[in-house]
Amino acid sequence: MEHLVDHMRTSYHSLHEPTCALCNKHCRSFDSLREHLIGPLPKQECKKLFKILGCEFCLSVLESPHALRLHQHRCRFSGVNYGTMSRPANKSTTGVDNGFSYHVVALACQMVDGGGNNGSMDVCARVCMVDEYENIIFHVYVKPPIPVPNYRYENSGIGGEHLRDGMPLKQVQRRIEEFLCNGEAMWKIRSPKAGKARILVGHHLHPLLQSLHLEYPSFMIRDTAAYPPLMKTNKLSNSLKYLTQTYLGYDIQAGVQDPYEDCVATMRLYLRMRNQVHQREDYPQASDPRNRNNFAPSRQSELERMSLEAMLTISRSDYYCWCLDSM
């Protein structure tokens, strides 16, 4: 028990972690849970039951094979419906801003080569934003501020003719800030649950925002590349292509990449994580000052007499679970 208390003090196991529905093992990521269930060295008892009753996408376990078939029909997504809205028409495509009708937006960019000492400088050439219903609210080609030596046409599908009449970067910045802040001053944004500002969803958002010369509060950002449950077992980021194929059940980025497709994928991943049902806690994060005494050394004897369930109840997560956005 002494070693278990020491482990719980530093592991930050919580009710928000991915958990095996068969043996209740807590895992740091869904990749780790997947290895536990169907990996090269799975727990055999769990593997046998999961093969009959488990969903390969969300890793939940259903009560019967019939319930599993119904569940997987809803759980697996189809690819995005490409149409006239998947590419900007002329200079830009701008959807209707419905005010408070959506509280979350996804952002993705298509980059081209802007030069640099080794030719690796990325310049944003195309921007897309969608709401949580996958409606396009902003889609535009961006006029690069510097010469573009390589448009990466094979992957981007973008040529000089697309950017010649593109929207200037400053104007793109202003429009994106308008959508994100939603009429609220940037310095007033304090919480995703208070005020008008919108949650920003994306994949590897930090370099993307850098390319747009934009800043946004970190507590308003939901990055699928940095969210612990969606990361690899070695705590490195997974690619968006892998996450979409593994957790949503379809392929993206085959051939020419489309930022609309990336927006939809990140939004679907975010909503899948947000819609998880976890037990509600008053102070769910380990960083909250009100949790600082939960595993204090002065409570060592008391903690060693606790049951495993009681110890888990007072343990808190070291990351912000996206399910809290829906509370």
Side-chain angles (χ1 to χ4, degrees):
M1 287 302 295
E2 180 182 352
H3 289 301
L4 178 60
V5 170
D6 289 340
H7 168 74
M8 292 297 290
R9 186 175 285 131
T10 59
S11 66
Y12 301 103
H13 287 308
S14 79
L15 301 171
H16 293 274
E17 286 181 317
T19 306
C20 177
L22 299 167
C23 70
N24 292 325
K25 177 182 179 180
H26 282 250
C27 301
R28 295 299 288 173
S29 69
F30 283 103
D31 269 10
S32 179
L33 177 58
R34 190 177 298 276
E35 288 186 4
H36 166 76
L37 293 168
I38 55 177
L41 296 172
K43 184 176 181 180
Q44 291 301 321
E45 295 85 350
C46 295
K47 178 184 178 181
K48 291 176 183 177
L49 284 172
F50 187 81
K51 188 174 181 180
I52 302 170
L53 302 174
C55 174
E56 62 179 310
F57 303 115
C58 67
L59 303 181
S60 58
V61 176
L62 284 297
E63 61 272 14
S64 68
H66 176 67
L68 175 62
R69 286 192 294 272
L70 295 177
H71 168 84
Q72 284 192 321
H73 181 71
R74 299 189 302 269
C75 193
R76 182 173 188 169
F77 284 87
S78 59
V80 297
N81 182 23
Y82 289 102
T84 56
M85 293 297 285
S86 68
R87 295 189 69 85
N90 297 326
K91 289 188 178 181
S92 70
T93 300
T94 305
V96 177
D97 188 356
N98 295 318
F100 290 100
S101 63
Y102 57 92
H103 188 55
V104 185
V105 296
L107 174 67
C109 294
Q110 183 66 57
M111 302 294 184
V112 294
D113 188 358
N117 293 333
N118 56 1
S120 62
M121 182 187 295
D122 286 334
V123 172
C124 180
R126 185 177 168 197
V127 173
C128 184
M129 296 179 75
V130 303
D131 63 19
E132 53 199 290
Y133 309 106
E134 301 179 10
N135 299 315
I136 291 178
I137 55 177
F138 188 55
H139 202 180
V140 65
Y141 288 116
V142 182
K143 190 172 184 178
I146 59 176
V148 176
N150 181 7
Y151 290 98
R152 304 173 186 170
Y153 184 80
E154 295 78 9
N155 295 322
S156 69
I158 295 174
E161 66 278 9
H162 296 110
L163 305 185
R164 192 173 299 115
D165 297 321
M167 185 179 288
L169 181 60
K170 290 285 187 183
Q171 190 175 347
V172 173
Q173 293 170 350
R174 186 166 60 252
R175 296 297 298 278
I176 293 175
E177 284 185 352
E178 288 173 359
F179 284 118
L180 292 178
C181 296
N182 194 26
E184 188 170 5
M186 186 75 75
W187 62 272
K188 286 186 177 181
I189 300 174
R190 292 289 181 268
S191 166
K193 299 178 184 178
K196 302 178 183 178
R198 296 181 171 117
I199 292 171
L200 175 62
V201 175
H203 191 77
H204 283 303
L205 278 171
H206 180 66
L208 187 153
L209 292 174
Q210 276 190 327
S211 71
L212 292 168
H213 304 293
L214 282 173
E215 293 184 0
Y216 202 54
S218 59
F219 55 82
M220 297 295 292
I221 290 176
R222 306 290 180 264
D223 194 332
T224 55
Y227 187 50
L230 292 177
M231 298 178 78
K232 298 178 182 179
T233 54
N234 59 4
K235 299 184 180 180
L236 297 178
S237 299
N238 277 306
S239 68
L240 182 58
K241 184 180 179 71
Y242 168 83
L243 293 175
T244 304
Q245 184 181 56
T246 305
Y247 297 103
L248 302 179
Y250 68 96
D251 291 318
I252 64 169
Q253 299 176 354
V256 175
Q257 297 182 15
D258 191 328
Y260 172 67
E261 184 181 53
D262 292 353
C263 277
V264 171
T266 54
M267 182 62 77
R268 288 174 175 178
L269 286 166
Y270 167 75
L271 292 177
R272 173 150 291 179
M273 296 296 105
R274 190 185 72 177
N275 292 338
Q276 293 180 99
V277 179
H278 296 143
Q279 184 176 324
R280 188 165 184 175
E281 301 162 325
D282 291 333
Y283 313 112
Q285 290 187 268
S287 58
D288 193 303
R290 286 161 289 199
N291 292 321
R292 65 178 178 270
N293 292 323
N294 286 9
F295 285 91
S298 59
R299 297 184 63 191
Q300 183 73 23
S301 298
E302 176 192 352
L303 292 166
E304 290 179 16
R305 293 193 297 270
M306 281 187 179
S307 67
L308 303 181
E309 291 76 15
M311 205 179 301
L312 180 64
T313 301
I314 65 169
S315 183
R316 293 293 183 265
S317 175
D318 58 346
Y319 66 88
Y320 178 88
C321 182
W322 291 349
C323 79
L324 300 173
D325 286 344
S326 61
M327 292 182 179

